[in-house]
């Protein structure tokens, strides 16, 4: 029983240390998560902590991008541009899929063209050799004259 009490105390100390290192108030992050999840969902402690850390990383990344502007005042347009990848991820993924499909179509066209070229070059090789021979004979006749 004494071991259980020590374990609980150690766990409580660890939770306090983690809470102090989190970028946002844990209760607020959990509240927002619960607002956006189905009522029957339960959130594990690790998920609460990791979501908080993730949101802090997103904030850091946005701020890094905002720091790239040469201005001392951050305007709304700058913020909109900096958060674009996060707010338009669905549109970005759709565009990625569209581009990949288009590239596949281009690849298929290239393969078809390559097959056509191989087929036609085999026929042309024979014709070119005949023509080349004729030119050679004509060139020799021209030189003799």
């Amino acid at each position: 029983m004494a071991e259980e009490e020590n374990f609980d105390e150690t766990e409580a100390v660890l939770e306090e240390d983690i809470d102090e290192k989190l970028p946002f108030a844990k209760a607020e992050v959990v509240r927002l998560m619960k607002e956006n999840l189905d009522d029957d969902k339960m959130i594990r402690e690790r998920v609460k902590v990791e979501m908080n850390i993730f949101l802090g990383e997103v904030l850091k990344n946005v701020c890094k991008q905002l720091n790239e502007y040469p201005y001392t005042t951050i305007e709304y347009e700058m913020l909109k541009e900096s958060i674009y990848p996060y707010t338009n991820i669905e549109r970005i993924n759709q565009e990625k899929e569209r581009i990949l499909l288009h590239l596949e179509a281009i690849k298929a066209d290239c393969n078809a063209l390559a097959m056509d070229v191989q087929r036609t070059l085999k026929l042309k090789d024979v014709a070119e050799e005949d023509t080349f021979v004729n030119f050679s004979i004509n060139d020799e006749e021209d030189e003799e004259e």
Side-chain angles (χ1 to χ4, degrees):
M1 247 168 120
E3 289 178 14
E4 284 181 25
E5 288 176 17
N6 287 339
F7 181 74
D8 289 341
E9 288 174 16
T10 305
E11 193 173 289
V13 169
L14 288 175
E15 274 188 36
E16 287 175 13
D17 287 343
I18 290 172
D19 287 349
E20 288 176 13
K21 294 177 183 176
L22 293 176
F24 302 107
K26 191 163 110 183
E28 188 62 22
V29 171
V30 172
R31 183 187 65 74
L32 290 169
M33 288 178 71
K34 286 184 178 184
E35 278 180 16
N36 293 286
L37 290 170
D38 294 338
D39 291 335
D40 63 335
K41 301 284 188 224
M42 293 183 66
I43 308 167
R44 297 245 184 236
E45 183 64 25
R46 179 155 186 199
V47 174
K48 296 172 185 177
V49 170
E50 293 299 325
M51 177 63 83
N52 201 315
I53 293 169
F54 168 73
L55 293 172
E57 289 299 316
V58 169
L59 181 112
K60 286 178 189 175
N61 290 338
V62 169
C63 289
K64 281 180 190 174
Q65 192 166 350
L66 289 171
N67 274 334
E68 291 177 9
Y69 289 100
Y71 311 110
T72 56
T73 304
I74 296 171
E75 300 293 337
Y76 178 67
E77 291 302 317
M78 296 174 195
L79 176 66
K80 277 177 46 177
E81 191 175 311
S82 297
I83 64 173
Y84 181 85
Y86 305 100
T87 56
N88 292 295
I89 192 76
E90 213 169 293
R91 188 182 322 161
I92 292 168
N93 283 333
Q94 288 172 349
E95 183 69 8
K96 176 184 164 187
E97 282 299 315
R98 186 190 67 76
I99 291 170
L100 288 174
L101 289 172
H102 189 64
L103 287 173
E104 287 297 323
I106 290 171
K107 215 187 287 185
D109 287 345
C110 288
N111 289 337
L113 286 171
M115 289 171 50
D116 288 346
V117 166
Q118 287 176 344
R119 252 183 289 145
T120 57
L121 281 180
K122 285 181 183 176
L123 297 174
K124 286 184 178 179
D125 284 345
V126 174
E128 285 178 4
E129 286 176 10
D130 293 339
T131 330
F132 182 70
V133 171
N134 290 336
F135 284 134
S136 299
I137 295 170
N138 290 342
D139 287 341
E140 289 175 335
E141 289 175 12
D142 289 341
E143 288 176 12
E144 289 176 10
E145 292 176 22

